[in-house]
Structure formats: structure tokens, C-alpha cells
Amino acid sequence: MKRRQWLAAGCAQCAGLWAGSAWAQSGRQGNWLAPAPFLKPDLGSDEGGLWAMMDREEIRLRRSPFMMRDAALRDYLQGIACKLAGAHCADVRVYPVRTPFFNASMAPNGMLQVWSGLLLRVDNEAQLAGVLAHEIGHYMQRHTLDRLRDAKARMAFATFMAAFGVVGLVGQLAAIAGGLGFSRDQEREADSISITLMREAGYDPREASKVWDNLRAELAGAPAGDPTKVNVMFATHPPSDERSATLARLAETASGGFIGDAEFSAKLAGFQFDLLDDEVKRGQYGETLLLLDRLALRSPARADLLYFRGETRRLRNKDGDLPAALNDLHRAASLGSEPAQVHRSIGYIHQKLERPAEARVAFTRYIELAPSAPDVDLIRTYLIESKT
């Protein structure tokens, strides 16, 4: 299927909004002139060569095991991007990528990657739209193309492209973000454009600043205590407190707009467990606990959040962690909709605390609830040995 045919459905849903907007009629919001859709450059030109390289990497991304291949999720993200991109809709292609870090990035050929760690951390559709609008702003201003050219001029391009062949996808994208970071002026320009795009698409732009407030609070739990040392996003972006204040100021005249709490939650519901599991496996327990605290405050009756918070504390096992973990896990079990893994974690904690009788009860319940789990034979071995 050709690229524009594949995107036709996504463009159709935003065509009416685009045709009736002031931007469509005048091409201008404030002092910013929206560019016309880009023509693909001649392959013999410098720009055409860069596009061709990104096209090849896009093919590799489509084949990658990191791709989230759920059609409904991809269509949902594509629809948001199309609302924001307007006349550029047909040239934007969204790829959800399963990696537990906060990021989104857009190549000059229209390839927009959305990392699952971002999906886990935004609270609603408007917040997600704010991040995507920022990346589309970079694309419209051709910032990414400028950075690629700069890397080539600095003899860094070979290193940049070599990363695609020698490391995994997460490493590739981190290398790109770190080695081709935008200037802070470009970041501020993209932030300003993002608020315009959100307004035009009907989203509440006041939600954009909240993303950075939440991320800053989470990253404060990192061992270094300095977000710029633990997250590539902060190495080149303006500090999150400045960015949050700037976005809030740009949106201060907004009177409302679409937020999309329920819509976003419904689209992510089927992925939440796996994304939370990926998050815990990052091993950044301080950050993860702050994220889970925030999520649990919003949804206190979600047994999966209580399980993952308890499991994170069990794995960290610092002073007071095990009793707090047991509290979360027993609360999850009391809800009656708990994941089977709740009982396995309870068993491990009792085992650690040398309470074999309680551990056997918990492990037995785990086997009852998940008889086909891959670790059931190991748990059964423990049950047999603990009775001898």
C-alpha cells in the first residue's frame, strides 16, 4: 500500500477541522507562518541523500521487534498526529516503539517515533498531543534536517549512521538524541509552535506544561538527583522548570479544549501491564516508585498499580521496603482483580523473611491462578523442598 493511501483515513478525520481553521485560510497564527507540505527532494541533492538514509532506517524500524504492531493503537496515534499536522498529515507516519523511556522523535522524512515510556507517563490525549505537536514543530521548521547537516559537517555523521548497524534500537535512538540534540532556541521555537498546533486541533494547550512537571518530579528520584545526568531529553532541552513555565505562559489565554482522559485510557488499557512491567525492569526504582505513586493517586483501585509498586519495593529492598511492599500486595489481593503475580511476590517476600508457611500459601495460590506460567515448575520445586 502506498504511503498516502495508508494515511488517507487519518487525514480524512482532520480534513474538516483543517479546512475551517483560521490557519488554513491565512496560513498564519501569531507571528508564525505555517509551511506548505514538503516535496520530496531530488535524490542527487544533499537533502535528498539524507532523506534516503532515513527512508532506509524507516524500513528497518518497520521490521524491528521493538515495533508495537497493534493496528488500533497505531491508528489512534496517527489520528492525533494528523489533527496536529493538518496539511502535512499525508507525510507523517507514526510508529509506536516499545522501549520504557520518555521520548518521541521525528525524522525529516516524516517518520515519527513514539516510545512506550512516553505513553505510560502522559495522563491524557491532550498531554500526548502536546509532545507530538512539539516534534511536528521541529519537522515543520526543518530543525532535524539542520541537525543532520550539522553532524555531517562536523564529521560526526559516519558515527551517527554506524550506530544503526551495531547496537539495538534503544541504543540507536539514544545515540541520535544525544548526538543530534536540537539547540535550546530550536526547542523553544518548537514549544511555541506546539501550543499553536494544539489550539488549532482543538486540544487544551494548558495540559502541555503538566507533562514536564510530572517528568521533572519523577526524575528527581534518580540516584544522581539531576535530570540532565540521567535522561537524554534534558541534555539538550531547556530545563523542565523553564519549559513548563514557558508552555504555561504560552497557554495562559486558553479557555479550554479537548483533554481526552477516557479516550486515552481506553486505548492504552490493553498495554498497561506490559508497559509497567518494562518500567520496573529498567531497574531505576526511585523513579519508578514516583511514577507509580502518581498513577496510583489517580487510580487507587487499580490492582495492577499496587502490584507493580509492591514489586518495585520488593526488588529494591531498602529499609522499610518489604513491609510496604506487603501492604501494597495485600491491598491488591483484596480488590479481587489482582494479577496472579501478586501472590508470587508475596511468596518471595515471606521466603526472604524466612516465613516458609506463609510463602507456601502464597506460592500455592499463584500456581492456582497461573498454572501455565513459565516459572510454575520452579515454584513447585520450592514447595516440595520447603516441606522436607
Side-chain angles (χ1 to χ4, degrees), residues 290-343:
L290 289 170
L291 169 64
L292 289 167
D293 285 345
R294 180 169 65 83
L295 295 178
L297 186 64
R298 286 170 51 88
S299 305
R302 276 184 54 182
D304 60 335
L305 295 177
L306 293 170
Y307 159 65
F308 281 111
R309 191 166 66 178
E311 179 68 355
T312 302
R313 285 175 170 149
R314 180 186 77 82
L315 292 169
R316 187 174 69 170
N317 192 18
K318 289 187 176 180
D319 292 342
D321 272 341
L322 294 187
L326 277 176
N327 182 59
D328 273 343
L329 294 166
H330 284 302
R331 283 177 58 202
S334 71
L335 293 173
S337 58
E338 79 277 15
Q341 292 90 334
V342 163
H343 301 280

Tab-separated table of all heavy atoms in Angstrom, residues 290-343:
chain	number	residue	atom	x	y	z
A	290	LEU	N	8.119	6.872	42.111
A	290	LEU	CA	7.462	8.172	41.992
A	290	LEU	C	6.406	8.158	40.894
A	290	LEU	O	5.328	8.746	41.050
A	290	LEU	CB	8.507	9.254	41.732
A	290	LEU	CG	9.410	9.594	42.922
A	290	LEU	CD1	10.564	10.485	42.489
A	290	LEU	CD2	8.604	10.285	44.026
A	291	LEU	N	6.700	7.504	39.783
A	291	LEU	CA	5.708	7.363	38.714
A	291	LEU	C	4.502	6.584	39.211
A	291	LEU	O	3.347	6.998	39.005
A	291	LEU	CB	6.339	6.668	37.509
A	291	LEU	CG	5.376	6.222	36.408
A	291	LEU	CD1	4.689	7.427	35.764
A	291	LEU	CD2	6.108	5.394	35.347
A	292	LEU	N	4.746	5.453	39.878
A	292	LEU	CA	3.640	4.622	40.353
A	292	LEU	C	2.833	5.317	41.442
A	292	LEU	O	1.610	5.158	41.508
A	292	LEU	CB	4.182	3.286	40.852
A	292	LEU	CG	4.690	2.348	39.750
A	292	LEU	CD1	5.481	1.200	40.348
A	292	LEU	CD2	3.527	1.820	38.912
A	293	ASP	N	3.501	6.104	42.284
A	293	ASP	CA	2.764	6.891	43.286
A	293	ASP	C	1.782	7.826	42.606
A	293	ASP	O	0.628	7.968	43.044
A	293	ASP	CB	3.737	7.699	44.151
A	293	ASP	CG	4.472	6.851	45.181
A	293	ASP	OD1	4.048	5.706	45.427
A	293	ASP	OD2	5.479	7.346	45.725
A	294	ARG	N	2.243	8.487	41.554
A	294	ARG	CA	1.365	9.425	40.836
A	294	ARG	C	0.208	8.704	40.171
A	294	ARG	O	-0.944	9.146	40.242
A	294	ARG	CB	2.182	10.209	39.799
A	294	ARG	CG	1.352	11.208	39.003
A	294	ARG	CD	2.228	12.142	38.191
A	294	ARG	NE	2.975	11.468	37.157
A	294	ARG	CZ	2.464	11.169	35.948
A	294	ARG	NH1	1.202	11.472	35.663
A	294	ARG	NH2	3.221	10.588	35.050
A	295	LEU	N	0.500	7.581	39.530
A	295	LEU	CA	-0.551	6.831	38.850
A	295	LEU	C	-1.550	6.252	39.848
A	295	LEU	O	-2.764	6.258	39.604
A	295	LEU	CB	0.068	5.717	38.010
A	295	LEU	CG	0.954	6.148	36.840
A	295	LEU	CD1	1.543	4.930	36.135
A	295	LEU	CD2	0.186	7.012	35.850
A	296	ALA	N	-1.049	5.752	40.983
A	296	ALA	CA	-1.938	5.170	41.985
A	296	ALA	C	-2.806	6.236	42.651
A	296	ALA	O	-3.938	5.953	43.058
A	296	ALA	CB	-1.122	4.418	43.034
A	297	LEU	N	-2.290	7.450	42.763
A	297	LEU	CA	-3.092	8.538	43.323
A	297	LEU	C	-4.274	8.843	42.415
A	297	LEU	O	-5.378	9.140	42.891
A	297	LEU	CB	-2.208	9.778	43.497
A	297	LEU	CG	-2.854	10.976	44.211
A	297	LEU	CD1	-3.194	10.608	45.654
A	297	LEU	CD2	-1.910	12.179	44.188
A	298	ARG	N	-4.060	8.755	41.119
A	298	ARG	CA	-5.136	8.984	40.159
A	298	ARG	C	-6.112	7.814	40.111
A	298	ARG	O	-7.300	8.011	39.875
A	298	ARG	CB	-4.559	9.203	38.754
A	298	ARG	CG	-3.901	10.549	38.547
A	298	ARG	CD	-3.143	10.597	37.222
A	298	ARG	NE	-3.957	10.176	36.086
A	298	ARG	CZ	-4.733	10.981	35.369
A	298	ARG	NH1	-4.814	12.259	35.673
A	298	ARG	NH2	-5.415	10.507	34.343
A	299	SER	N	-5.616	6.596	40.316
A	299	SER	CA	-6.463	5.388	40.193
A	299	SER	C	-6.172	4.452	41.357
A	299	SER	O	-5.514	3.414	41.194
A	299	SER	CB	-6.181	4.683	38.859
A	299	SER	OG	-6.349	5.555	37.760
A	300	PRO	N	-6.648	4.780	42.560
A	300	PRO	CA	-6.285	3.998	43.747
A	300	PRO	C	-6.828	2.578	43.770
A	300	PRO	O	-6.343	1.747	44.545
A	300	PRO	CB	-6.871	4.826	44.900
A	300	PRO	CG	-7.957	5.654	44.270
A	300	PRO	CD	-7.492	5.943	42.885
A	301	ALA	N	-7.819	2.274	42.938
A	301	ALA	CA	-8.415	0.941	42.941
A	301	ALA	C	-7.856	0.047	41.839
A	301	ALA	O	-8.412	-1.020	41.561
A	301	ALA	CB	-9.935	1.044	42.803
A	302	ARG	N	-6.762	0.438	41.230
A	302	ARG	CA	-6.144	-0.406	40.205
A	302	ARG	C	-5.164	-1.376	40.841
A	302	ARG	O	-4.096	-0.993	41.330
A	302	ARG	CB	-5.447	0.460	39.150
A	302	ARG	CG	-6.367	0.961	38.056
A	302	ARG	CD	-5.620	1.718	36.989
A	302	ARG	NE	-4.502	0.972	36.424
A	302	ARG	CZ	-3.688	1.468	35.496
A	302	ARG	NH1	-3.885	2.699	35.045
A	302	ARG	NH2	-2.704	0.751	35.025
A	303	ALA	N	-5.526	-2.658	40.822
A	303	ALA	CA	-4.696	-3.678	41.457
A	303	ALA	C	-3.350	-3.818	40.769
A	303	ALA	O	-2.341	-4.143	41.416
A	303	ALA	CB	-5.437	-5.018	41.455
A	304	ASP	N	-3.294	-3.557	39.450
A	304	ASP	CA	-2.012	-3.709	38.756
A	304	ASP	C	-0.997	-2.676	39.231
A	304	ASP	O	0.192	-2.979	39.373
A	304	ASP	CB	-2.197	-3.634	37.238
A	304	ASP	CG	-2.798	-2.315	36.767
A	304	ASP	OD1	-3.495	-1.650	37.556
A	304	ASP	OD2	-2.585	-1.957	35.590
A	305	LEU	N	-1.457	-1.456	39.514
A	305	LEU	CA	-0.543	-0.430	40.009
A	305	LEU	C	-0.011	-0.791	41.398
A	305	LEU	O	1.172	-0.610	41.698
A	305	LEU	CB	-1.236	0.924	40.044
A	305	LEU	CG	-1.653	1.510	38.695
A	305	LEU	CD1	-2.406	2.825	38.898
A	305	LEU	CD2	-0.459	1.719	37.784
A	306	LEU	N	-0.896	-1.313	42.241
A	306	LEU	CA	-0.459	-1.740	43.569
A	306	LEU	C	0.532	-2.897	43.460
A	306	LEU	O	1.518	-2.955	44.209
A	306	LEU	CB	-1.666	-2.149	44.404
A	306	LEU	CG	-2.626	-1.016	44.778
A	306	LEU	CD1	-3.898	-1.571	45.388
A	306	LEU	CD2	-1.956	-0.029	45.728
A	307	TYR	N	0.284	-3.813	42.534
A	307	TYR	CA	1.217	-4.923	42.349
A	307	TYR	C	2.586	-4.413	41.931
A	307	TYR	O	3.613	-4.786	42.528
A	307	TYR	CB	0.698	-5.909	41.293
A	307	TYR	CG	1.815	-6.752	40.716
A	307	TYR	CD1	2.510	-7.650	41.513
A	307	TYR	CD2	2.199	-6.612	39.379
A	307	TYR	CE1	3.568	-8.404	40.997
A	307	TYR	CE2	3.241	-7.359	38.862
A	307	TYR	CZ	3.923	-8.251	39.677
A	307	TYR	OH	4.972	-8.981	39.160
A	308	PHE	N	2.634	-3.574	40.926
A	308	PHE	CA	3.935	-3.122	40.425
A	308	PHE	C	4.659	-2.246	41.450
A	308	PHE	O	5.892	-2.293	41.535
A	308	PHE	CB	3.772	-2.396	39.092
A	308	PHE	CG	3.599	-3.334	37.941
A	308	PHE	CD1	2.385	-3.437	37.274
A	308	PHE	CD2	4.654	-4.136	37.517
A	308	PHE	CE1	2.231	-4.315	36.214
A	308	PHE	CE2	4.506	-5.018	36.460
A	308	PHE	CZ	3.286	-5.112	35.806
A	309	ARG	N	3.921	-1.478	42.235
A	309	ARG	CA	4.592	-0.700	43.280
A	309	ARG	C	5.154	-1.629	44.346
A	309	ARG	O	6.297	-1.448	44.810
A	309	ARG	CB	3.632	0.322	43.890
A	309	ARG	CG	4.353	1.320	44.788
A	309	ARG	CD	3.474	2.507	45.118
A	309	ARG	NE	2.318	2.140	45.934
A	309	ARG	CZ	1.410	3.013	46.382
A	309	ARG	NH1	1.515	4.302	46.060
A	309	ARG	NH2	0.384	2.614	47.110
A	310	GLY	N	4.377	-2.639	44.717
A	310	GLY	CA	4.882	-3.609	45.673
A	310	GLY	C	6.074	-4.374	45.137
A	310	GLY	O	7.062	-4.608	45.845
A	311	GLU	N	6.027	-4.758	43.869
A	311	GLU	CA	7.130	-5.492	43.254
A	311	GLU	C	8.380	-4.624	43.148
A	311	GLU	O	9.507	-5.106	43.354
A	311	GLU	CB	6.701	-5.991	41.874
A	311	GLU	CG	7.763	-6.747	41.102
A	311	GLU	CD	8.143	-8.091	41.692
A	311	GLU	OE1	7.649	-8.444	42.791
A	311	GLU	OE2	8.942	-8.795	41.055
A	312	THR	N	8.197	-3.357	42.855
A	312	THR	CA	9.351	-2.447	42.786
A	312	THR	C	10.016	-2.325	44.148
A	312	THR	O	11.252	-2.363	44.258
A	312	THR	CB	8.905	-1.062	42.288
A	312	THR	OG1	8.298	-1.193	41.001
A	312	THR	CG2	10.098	-0.113	42.178
A	313	ARG	N	9.206	-2.216	45.185
A	313	ARG	CA	9.776	-2.131	46.535
A	313	ARG	C	10.451	-3.449	46.924
A	313	ARG	O	11.494	-3.447	47.581
A	313	ARG	CB	8.679	-1.756	47.526
A	313	ARG	CG	8.286	-0.284	47.425
A	313	ARG	CD	7.118	0.043	48.310
A	313	ARG	NE	6.914	1.491	48.382
A	313	ARG	CZ	5.727	2.075	48.544
A	313	ARG	NH1	4.638	1.331	48.635
A	313	ARG	NH2	5.624	3.382	48.602
A	314	ARG	N	9.860	-4.559	46.531
A	314	ARG	CA	10.478	-5.849	46.832
A	314	ARG	C	11.850	-5.965	46.184
A	314	ARG	O	12.822	-6.407	46.803
A	314	ARG	CB	9.586	-6.996	46.348
A	314	ARG	CG	10.169	-8.381	46.627
A	314	ARG	CD	9.342	-9.481	46.003
A	314	ARG	NE	9.572	-9.583	44.563
A	314	ARG	CZ	10.600	-10.236	44.030
A	314	ARG	NH1	11.520	-10.809	44.787
A	314	ARG	NH2	10.722	-10.303	42.711
A	315	LEU	N	11.935	-5.547	44.947
A	315	LEU	CA	13.204	-5.642	44.226
A	315	LEU	C	14.237	-4.670	44.784
A	315	LEU	O	15.428	-4.990	44.850
A	315	LEU	CB	12.966	-5.384	42.738
A	315	LEU	CG	12.161	-6.462	41.999
A	315	LEU	CD1	11.771	-5.975	40.611
A	315	LEU	CD2	12.940	-7.767	41.913
A	316	ARG	N	13.817	-3.479	45.183
A	316	ARG	CA	14.759	-2.507	45.734
A	316	ARG	C	15.247	-2.952	47.107
A	316	ARG	O	16.435	-2.864	47.419
A	316	ARG	CB	14.129	-1.120	45.812
A	316	ARG	CG	15.138	-0.055	46.214
A	316	ARG	CD	14.556	1.335	46.152
A	316	ARG	NE	13.535	1.580	47.181
A	316	ARG	CZ	13.026	2.779	47.437
A	316	ARG	NH1	13.415	3.835	46.735
A	316	ARG	NH2	12.109	2.929	48.374
A	317	ASN	N	14.308	-3.380	47.946
A	317	ASN	CA	14.613	-3.974	49.261
A	317	ASN	C	15.534	-3.098	50.104
A	317	ASN	O	16.555	-3.551	50.631
A	317	ASN	CB	15.222	-5.375	49.084
A	317	ASN	CG	15.288	-6.148	50.392
A	317	ASN	OD1	14.596	-5.807	51.355
A	317	ASN	ND2	16.130	-7.163	50.438
A	318	LYS	N	15.157	-1.851	50.255
A	318	LYS	CA	15.849	-0.970	51.197
A	318	LYS	C	15.061	-0.941	52.504
A	318	LYS	O	14.055	-1.633	52.660
A	318	LYS	CB	15.981	0.437	50.604
A	318	LYS	CG	16.967	0.527	49.452
A	318	LYS	CD	17.169	1.974	49.029
A	318	LYS	CE	18.234	2.090	47.951
A	318	LYS	NZ	18.452	3.504	47.526
A	319	ASP	N	15.507	-0.117	53.456
A	319	ASP	CA	14.846	-0.041	54.756
A	319	ASP	C	13.368	0.275	54.591
A	319	ASP	O	12.992	1.273	53.969
A	319	ASP	CB	15.498	1.043	55.621
A	319	ASP	CG	16.911	0.684	56.026
A	319	ASP	OD1	17.252	-0.503	55.929
A	319	ASP	OD2	17.659	1.597	56.439
A	320	GLY	N	12.536	-0.604	55.156
A	320	GLY	CA	11.093	-0.395	55.120
A	320	GLY	C	10.414	-0.828	53.843
A	320	GLY	O	9.176	-0.778	53.753
A	321	ASP	N	11.159	-1.251	52.837
A	321	ASP	CA	10.545	-1.596	51.558
A	321	ASP	C	9.684	-2.854	51.643
A	321	ASP	O	8.585	-2.896	51.063
A	321	ASP	CB	11.617	-1.788	50.481
A	321	ASP	CG	11.962	-0.486	49.774
A	321	ASP	OD1	11.168	0.463	49.850
A	321	ASP	OD2	13.027	-0.433	49.134
A	322	LEU	N	10.158	-3.888	52.331
A	322	LEU	CA	9.418	-5.155	52.327
A	322	LEU	C	8.069	-5.044	53.040
A	322	LEU	O	7.056	-5.521	52.502
A	322	LEU	CB	10.272	-6.276	52.910
A	322	LEU	CG	11.516	-6.647	52.095
A	322	LEU	CD1	12.197	-7.879	52.684
A	322	LEU	CD2	11.184	-6.874	50.622
A	323	PRO	N	7.980	-4.427	54.214
A	323	PRO	CA	6.651	-4.246	54.815
A	323	PRO	C	5.722	-3.401	53.937
A	323	PRO	O	4.525	-3.707	53.811
A	323	PRO	CB	6.960	-3.549	56.146
A	323	PRO	CG	8.361	-3.933	56.469
A	323	PRO	CD	9.052	-4.008	55.138
A	324	ALA	N	6.270	-2.336	53.324
A	324	ALA	CA	5.441	-1.506	52.447
A	324	ALA	C	5.000	-2.291	51.222
A	324	ALA	O	3.862	-2.142	50.749
A	324	ALA	CB	6.218	-0.254	52.021
A	325	ALA	N	5.886	-3.132	50.710
A	325	ALA	CA	5.534	-3.960	49.555
A	325	ALA	C	4.409	-4.925	49.914
A	325	ALA	O	3.441	-5.090	49.152
A	325	ALA	CB	6.759	-4.721	49.078
A	326	LEU	N	4.514	-5.575	51.077
A	326	LEU	CA	3.452	-6.496	51.502
A	326	LEU	C	2.123	-5.768	51.645
A	326	LEU	O	1.061	-6.303	51.280
A	326	LEU	CB	3.828	-7.157	52.823
A	326	LEU	CG	4.746	-8.372	52.745
A	326	LEU	CD1	5.104	-8.850	54.146
A	326	LEU	CD2	4.109	-9.497	51.934
A	327	ASN	N	2.155	-4.552	52.151
A	327	ASN	CA	0.927	-3.771	52.291
A	327	ASN	C	0.271	-3.539	50.932
A	327	ASN	O	-0.946	-3.734	50.762
A	327	ASN	CB	1.240	-2.438	52.968
A	327	ASN	CG	-0.013	-1.605	53.184
A	327	ASN	OD1	-0.952	-2.016	53.852
A	327	ASN	ND2	-0.035	-0.403	52.607
A	328	ASP	N	1.059	-3.122	49.947
A	328	ASP	CA	0.512	-2.902	48.602
A	328	ASP	C	-0.017	-4.199	47.998
A	328	ASP	O	-1.092	-4.226	47.381
A	328	ASP	CB	1.589	-2.324	47.686
A	328	ASP	CG	1.673	-0.803	47.750
A	328	ASP	OD1	0.715	-0.176	48.229
A	328	ASP	OD2	2.699	-0.253	47.317
A	329	LEU	N	0.731	-5.268	48.158
A	329	LEU	CA	0.351	-6.540	47.544
A	329	LEU	C	-0.914	-7.105	48.182
A	329	LEU	O	-1.797	-7.624	47.476
A	329	LEU	CB	1.503	-7.533	47.660
A	329	LEU	CG	2.759	-7.143	46.858
A	329	LEU	CD1	3.956	-7.981	47.277
A	329	LEU	CD2	2.510	-7.281	45.357
A	330	HIS	N	-1.043	-6.995	49.489
A	330	HIS	CA	-2.271	-7.476	50.143
A	330	HIS	C	-3.456	-6.595	49.767
A	330	HIS	O	-4.584	-7.099	49.609
A	330	HIS	CB	-2.076	-7.531	51.654
A	330	HIS	CG	-1.253	-8.692	52.114
A	330	HIS	ND1	-1.584	-9.996	51.841
A	330	HIS	CD2	-0.081	-8.749	52.808
A	330	HIS	CE1	-0.689	-10.827	52.370
A	330	HIS	NE2	0.252	-10.087	52.940
A	331	ARG	N	-3.229	-5.299	49.615
A	331	ARG	CA	-4.318	-4.422	49.147
A	331	ARG	C	-4.760	-4.816	47.744
A	331	ARG	O	-5.960	-4.849	47.439
A	331	ARG	CB	-3.859	-2.961	49.155
A	331	ARG	CG	-3.823	-2.316	50.530
A	331	ARG	CD	-3.288	-0.901	50.438
A	331	ARG	NE	-4.092	-0.077	49.537
A	331	ARG	CZ	-3.649	1.032	48.954
A	331	ARG	NH1	-2.392	1.435	49.154
A	331	ARG	NH2	-4.434	1.733	48.167
A	332	ALA	N	-3.793	-5.123	46.888
A	332	ALA	CA	-4.129	-5.559	45.531
A	332	ALA	C	-4.949	-6.838	45.573
A	332	ALA	O	-5.962	-6.981	44.867
A	332	ALA	CB	-2.856	-5.764	44.714
A	333	ALA	N	-4.540	-7.787	46.418
A	333	ALA	CA	-5.255	-9.065	46.517
A	333	ALA	C	-6.676	-8.861	47.031
A	333	ALA	O	-7.611	-9.569	46.622
A	333	ALA	CB	-4.489	-10.021	47.413
A	334	SER	N	-6.863	-7.882	47.905
A	334	SER	CA	-8.192	-7.650	48.477
A	334	SER	C	-9.178	-7.097	47.464
A	334	SER	O	-10.396	-7.182	47.667
A	334	SER	CB	-8.085	-6.680	49.660
A	334	SER	OG	-7.798	-5.353	49.221
A	335	LEU	N	-8.664	-6.537	46.367
A	335	LEU	CA	-9.563	-5.977	45.345
A	335	LEU	C	-10.228	-7.058	44.515
A	335	LEU	O	-11.246	-6.811	43.852
A	335	LEU	CB	-8.775	-5.028	44.427
A	335	LEU	CG	-8.265	-3.745	45.092
A	335	LEU	CD1	-7.354	-2.970	44.144
A	335	LEU	CD2	-9.426	-2.871	45.535
A	336	GLY	N	-9.642	-8.271	44.504
A	336	GLY	CA	-10.262	-9.383	43.794
A	336	GLY	C	-9.989	-9.421	42.303
A	336	GLY	O	-10.417	-10.343	41.619
A	337	SER	N	-9.270	-8.419	41.792
A	337	SER	CA	-8.940	-8.393	40.363
A	337	SER	C	-7.433	-8.372	40.165
A	337	SER	O	-6.946	-7.917	39.143
A	337	SER	CB	-9.562	-7.154	39.709
A	337	SER	OG	-9.104	-5.965	40.357
A	338	GLU	N	-6.725	-8.891	41.158
A	338	GLU	CA	-5.275	-8.769	41.158
A	338	GLU	C	-4.631	-9.688	40.127
A	338	GLU	O	-5.151	-10.770	39.827
A	338	GLU	CB	-4.715	-9.108	42.546
A	338	GLU	CG	-4.610	-10.586	42.869
A	338	GLU	CD	-5.907	-11.204	43.370
A	338	GLU	OE1	-6.974	-10.553	43.210
A	338	GLU	OE2	-5.868	-12.336	43.892
A	339	PRO	N	-3.488	-9.292	39.561
A	339	PRO	CA	-2.724	-10.202	38.714
A	339	PRO	C	-2.227	-11.376	39.558
A	339	PRO	O	-1.960	-11.233	40.755
A	339	PRO	CB	-1.546	-9.350	38.226
A	339	PRO	CG	-1.902	-7.938	38.546
A	339	PRO	CD	-2.838	-7.973	39.697
A	340	ALA	N	-2.073	-12.535	38.946
A	340	ALA	CA	-1.581	-13.704	39.671
A	340	ALA	C	-0.220	-13.449	40.297
A	340	ALA	O	0.109	-13.973	41.374
A	340	ALA	CB	-1.508	-14.900	38.725
A	341	GLN	N	0.568	-12.600	39.653
A	341	GLN	CA	1.928	-12.322	40.135
A	341	GLN	C	1.944	-11.694	41.523
A	341	GLN	O	2.984	-11.715	42.198
A	341	GLN	CB	2.650	-11.411	39.144
A	341	GLN	CG	2.955	-12.047	37.797
A	341	GLN	CD	1.843	-11.844	36.781
A	341	GLN	OE1	0.676	-11.659	37.148
A	341	GLN	NE2	2.193	-11.859	35.509
A	342	VAL	N	0.819	-11.124	41.950
A	342	VAL	CA	0.734	-10.577	43.302
A	342	VAL	C	1.127	-11.641	44.322
A	342	VAL	O	1.909	-11.403	45.258
A	342	VAL	CB	-0.686	-10.048	43.578
A	342	VAL	CG1	-0.917	-9.869	45.077
A	342	VAL	CG2	-0.914	-8.721	42.855
A	343	HIS	N	0.596	-12.839	44.164
A	343	HIS	CA	0.822	-13.903	45.138
A	343	HIS	C	2.244	-14.453	45.039
A	343	HIS	O	2.825	-14.843	46.061
A	343	HIS	CB	-0.228	-14.996	44.942
A	343	HIS	CG	-1.621	-14.483	45.105
A	343	HIS	ND1	-2.199	-14.281	46.345
A	343	HIS	CD2	-2.530	-14.063	44.181
A	343	HIS	CE1	-3.424	-13.780	46.180
A	343	HIS	NE2	-3.646	-13.645	44.881
